[in-house]
Amino acid sequence: MKNYNVGIIGATGMVGQRFALLLADHPWFKVTALAASSRSAGKTYYEAVGNRWAMKSPMPENLKDMVISDAEKDIEEIVSKVDFVFCAVDMKKDEIRALEEKYARLECPVISNNSANRFTPDVPMIIPEINPEHLEIIPYQRKRLGTKRGFIAVKSNCSLQSYVPVLYPLDEKFGIDKCLVCTYQAISGAGKTFERWPEILDNVIPYIGGEEEKSEQEPLKIWGEIKDGKIIPAENPKFTAQCLRVPVSDGHLAAVFVSFKKKPSKEEILEIWKNFSGEPQRLCLPHAPKQFINYYEENDMPQTKLCRDLEGGMAISTGRLREDTQYDYKFVCVSHNTLRGAAGGGVLLAELLCAKGYMD
């Protein structure tokens, strides 16, 4: 695989920091540009972040002295330094859409962690093991943008990452009728640490703005199909969701209740989970987990703290599969929200795009 120069747009935020760590020693990608708001522009990465560095590992030495560019005013300079960018900015949605499209129109592909373009009909929203075929929408998007190389691709919301990969292969074989999911989401999903958010200690907040709508609607785009240059969301399965913020640093846990059109046995479900893999595994991408879905037999597993870092935080953990009195089955699952759910998922998507030739 050839090497690529990459930029991080929104480098000072929590997801941007996670991108910095993941890319510091990447075998294919070299960070050659960092960008943030005008408040940070002109400072070194170390100066701009200061005591807001929220990662457990230290800031990569090779990025400390890199000077931050202005994500909006210095676009042409940034584009001249990179082959593509990762975007994780904190702006209004219409501003994000305009910013990402401006990069793309300058022939710079954008791998976005933001939600602003997730429902743009010709922008693929990818979980690499689930719907890599949606990358085939990119030529249609390029035609709309008037580009030869530039495009936008997004990853889905972090709340989906624990349960959609577990449900998808079951739907393929048995057909899912309906699904109820309750997510218990870590504070890093809000860009917080315990030091910055003491109110969350000894507390649960039963509302996260926009999360329930995303958790119910985004899976249907992932399940959708390309038709007439657009991704048409599926009408089924039917999802309903409730999302809670809990005092956990990293990792989202989901309690899932599911009914099937053709009810499988527990043994059939476990066999599908055990054997399920996708394009990232087939292509041996650097951030692809070898065992994507991991099932625990213990009654008290999976636990967020014990399982979130499995395979570098890129694997899914599930357990407590059992029959339900109102749905067919219920189970719990865990994923790392800033790795698989955010920056790691973005890096894996970029690896997939490179392997498939979209960055050439």
Side-chain angles (χ1 to χ4, degrees), residues 41-182:
K43 300 176 182 177
T44 67
Y45 193 35
Y46 185 79
E47 290 170 341
V49 176
N51 61 6
R52 294 185 297 111
W53 183 257
M55 301 293 105
K56 295 175 183 175
S57 300
M59 181 181 288
E61 288 293 329
N62 61 336
L63 298 183
K64 279 185 176 180
D65 294 328
M66 188 174 290
V67 177
I68 302 286
S69 298
D70 188 310
E72 297 181 89
K73 295 179 181 177
D74 299 330
I75 290 182
E76 292 189 5
E77 177 190 346
I78 294 165
V79 167
S80 71
K81 296 179 179 179
V82 301
D83 296 304
F84 62 90
V85 296
F86 297 95
C87 189
V89 294
D90 183 11
M91 299 165 65
K92 295 178 180 178
K93 284 191 177 183
D94 58 341
E95 295 173 347
I96 293 173
R97 280 191 288 268
L99 182 71
E100 291 181 346
E101 193 162 302
K102 190 169 184 180
Y103 276 92
R105 288 184 185 275
L106 288 171
E107 302 292 0
C108 180
V110 177
I111 312 303
S112 178
N113 185 74
N114 305 301
S115 64
N117 269 304
R118 286 184 191 152
F119 281 95
T120 304
D122 60 7
V123 171
M125 180 170 64
I126 304 290
I127 297 178
E129 287 88 350
I130 304 301
N131 60 331
E133 69 278 3
H134 281 191
L135 295 180
E136 295 169 13
I137 197 72
I138 289 174
Y140 294 97
Q141 186 194 148
R142 282 172 168 162
K143 185 176 181 180
R144 173 177 65 85
L145 296 174
T147 61
K148 294 181 178 179
R149 189 172 176 274
F151 65 88
I152 302 163
V154 302
K155 51 156 291 299
S156 61
N157 193 49
C158 56
S159 66
L160 277 64
Q161 305 296 324
S162 59
Y163 63 91
V164 166
V166 177
L167 291 170
Y168 189 84
L170 302 180
D171 181 64
E172 284 191 308
K173 185 156 187 180
F174 303 108
I176 293 174
D177 180 40
K178 60 181 180 177
C179 177
L180 181 154
V181 59
C182 295

Side-chain angles (χ1 to χ4, degrees), residues 292-327:
F292 184 34
I293 299 173
N294 299 264
Y295 186 78
Y296 291 83
E297 296 286 353
E298 299 90 337
N299 286 332
D300 61 351
M301 294 288 282
Q303 294 180 24
T304 305
K305 188 175 182 178
L306 299 180
C307 301
R308 62 192 174 200
D309 293 317
L310 189 64
E311 295 216 40
M314 294 298 290
I316 309 298
S317 301
T318 186
R320 299 206 70 210
L321 175 65
R322 59 220 191 272
E323 292 195 45
D324 184 61
T325 57
Q326 298 182 42
Y327 288 73

